[in-house]
Amino acid sequence: YMIQVTQENNTPIVAFNGVFRLNSQVSLSIKDELLDLCKHNSVVILDLTGIKFIDSAGFGMLISILKKAKEYKSRLILCEISAEVADLIEIMQLQNAFEIMPSVEDALKTI
């Protein structure tokens, strides 16, 4: 499995196992599972530890999940973002689209 879901205070925290790039291959494999988590939880935390690159398919998946999460009245929080991914988010001007926290602990404090 590419993702591992743990629960903290009834909040799913999604971590990526051995995944360093969010690309079309990975996105297709995990999109449905992430959508399902957003549908059934008021907050979903994505722990991006280890992710060094996100391509257009990866960003497309994240934006599509973010839109669905809003429909479901759910929050999607990205955290533990690498410098490389932070640069990509800025280049694509998505820093205001996503809710971004430095760490999982910081994200949990906002719930």
Side-chain angles (χ1 to χ4, degrees), residues 1 16 19 23 33 37 48 51 57-58 64 68 71 81-82 89 91 97-98 104 106 109:
Y1 295 106
F16 295 84
V19 175
N23 54 26
E33 201 170 340
L37 285 170
L48 298 178
I51 302 290
S64 139
K68 277 289 182 198
E71 280 177 35
I81 293 176
S82 69
I89 288 172
I91 288 166
F98 293 109
V104 171
D106 289 315
K109 287 178 194 162

Side-chain angles (χ1 to χ4, degrees), residues 54-64 66-67 70 76 78 81 85-100:
I54 302 178
D55 72 2
S56 57
F59 277 118
M61 174 202 66
L62 290 173
I63 290 166
S64 139
L66 182 66
K67 284 181 182 168
K70 286 181 177 171
L76 181 69
L78 309 184
I81 293 176
V85 169
D87 287 346
L88 292 171
I89 288 172
E90 233 169 84
I91 288 166
M92 297 189 71
Q93 300 184 334
L94 293 172
Q95 63 271 29
N96 296 325
F98 293 109
E99 189 173 351
I100 297 173

Side-chain angles (χ1 to χ4, degrees), residues 30-77:
I30 64 174
K31 183 177 179 181
D32 289 342
E33 201 170 340
L34 293 177
L35 284 173
D36 199 49
L37 285 170
C38 289
K39 189 175 191 173
H40 296 102
N41 296 277
S42 57
V43 180
V44 175
I45 297 172
L46 285 190
D47 177 351
L48 298 178
T49 300
I51 302 290
K52 299 287 182 213
F53 182 76
I54 302 178
D55 72 2
S56 57
F59 277 118
M61 174 202 66
L62 290 173
I63 290 166
S64 139
I65 290 167
L66 182 66
K67 284 181 182 168
K68 277 289 182 198
K70 286 181 177 171
E71 280 177 35
Y72 298 140
K73 307 275 187 273
S74 174
R75 288 169 64 204
L76 181 69
I77 304 175

